[in-house]
């Protein structure tokens, strides 16, 4: 599915505030409410929009420790990786889980209650899994967190369209002059 600058604008506004009403969203992107709704439905059906979320201040709930857990393993079979994935998915502290390239095989981001919570997570993580190395990096401060990517940078640059249009006009003028 091809998306245009208006679709990107809709997505950008929604990722900044998923609680916008249809009317507010339509006003922000310069469309009628019906036109905006149809576009949003199409974007949702095609999988560009995957629900909405409310951001919760986890520290207010006592989840005051964020840890990036890096894992290296000697096992790289699909069966082992699938089993490890299912194991990690069951650990409730996990908020992000990535298989990565480089010196480490996996990075797991967790939030928990203090060092005791991390130790409990660590013990459950390593139980019944032969992991070569596990290390945790403790976040002291989240400087940028959950920042939405700038989707407007994906839209075609209007100046590029003007350049292409000018080239076409110039080429067609030359073509007309050659025929005369």
């Amino acid at each position: 599915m091809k998306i245009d600058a208006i679709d990107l604008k809709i997505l950008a506004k929604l990722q900044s505030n998923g609680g916008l009403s249809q009317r507010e969203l339509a006003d922000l992107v310069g469309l009628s409410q019906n036109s905006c709704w149809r576009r949003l439905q199409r974007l949702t059906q095609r999988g560009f929009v995957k629900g909405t979320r409310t951001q919760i201040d986890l520290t207010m709930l006592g989840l005051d420790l964020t840890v990036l857990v890096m894992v290296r393993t000697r096992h790289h079979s699909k069966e082992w990786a699938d089993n490890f994935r299912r194991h990690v998915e069951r650990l409730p502290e996990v908020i992000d889980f990535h298989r990565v390239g480089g010196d480490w095989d996996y990075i797991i981001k967790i939030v928990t209650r203090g060092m005791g919570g991390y130790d409990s997570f660590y013990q459950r993580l390593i139980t019944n899994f032969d992991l070569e190395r596990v290390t945790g990096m403790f976040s002291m401060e989240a400087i940028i967190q959950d920042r939405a990517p700038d989707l407007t940078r994906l839209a075609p640059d209007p100046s590029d369209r003007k350049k292409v249009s000018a080239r076409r006009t110039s080429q067609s003028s030359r073509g007309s002059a050659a025929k005369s």
Side-chain angles (χ1 to χ4, degrees):
M1 172 181 146
K2 189 171 185 164
I3 62 174
D4 61 18
I6 295 171
D7 291 330
L8 289 170
K9 203 181 223 187
I10 289 170
L11 294 172
K13 296 299 180 188
L14 283 176
Q15 76 178 355
S16 295
N17 182 356
L20 291 170
S21 71
Q22 286 182 22
R23 176 172 306 227
E24 291 168 324
L25 181 60
D27 288 346
L28 288 170
V29 299
L31 292 174
S32 71
Q33 193 171 342
N34 286 339
S35 179
C36 185
W37 181 84
R38 282 191 300 275
R39 282 178 176 262
L40 182 55
Q41 290 302 307
R42 189 187 61 190
L43 290 166
T44 301
Q45 289 169 352
R46 299 281 166 87
F48 287 95
V49 177
K50 296 185 177 197
T52 58
R53 274 179 58 186
T54 299
Q55 288 185 312
I56 307 295
D57 185 335
L58 298 176
T59 58
M60 291 187 73
L61 297 172
L63 298 171
D64 60 347
L65 182 63
T66 300
V67 185
L68 299 173
V69 181
M70 297 162 43
V71 176
R72 184 180 304 141
T73 180
R74 294 182 229 16
H75 307 281
H76 297 282
S77 72
K78 181 172 178 8
E79 179 184 1
W80 189 93
D82 289 345
N83 287 333
F84 186 62
R85 175 181 303 209
R86 283 190 294 275
H87 174 62
V88 172
E89 287 173 343
R90 287 190 293 264
L91 300 171
E93 297 88 348
V94 175
I95 60 171
D96 286 315
F97 180 36
H98 299 266
R99 186 171 60 87
V100 296
D103 291 339
W104 297 92
D105 297 309
Y106 299 94
I107 296 178
I108 306 166
K109 182 178 179 183
I110 71 161
V111 291
T112 190
R113 291 179 188 239
M115 194 57 69
Y118 173 65
D119 185 51
S120 173
F121 166 83
Y122 175 81
Q123 295 302 324
R124 286 179 283 127
L125 176 68
I126 64 171
T127 299
N128 299 322
F129 277 91
D130 179 25
L131 302 174
E132 182 179 335
R133 186 164 182 204
V134 177
T135 191
M137 294 190 304
F138 305 94
S139 174
M140 296 177 2
E141 175 186 13
I143 297 168
I144 296 175
Q145 182 172 313
D146 298 324
R147 178 167 70 178
D150 177 9
L151 299 179
T152 59
R153 66 189 164 95
L154 302 175
D157 183 359
S159 64
D160 288 344
R161 277 183 271 172
K162 289 176 188 172
K163 290 174 194 170
V164 169
S165 178
R167 273 197 305 265
R168 286 184 186 146
T169 303
S170 171
Q171 289 170 347
S172 68
S173 297
R174 280 183 283 184
S176 298
K179 290 179 185 175
S180 303

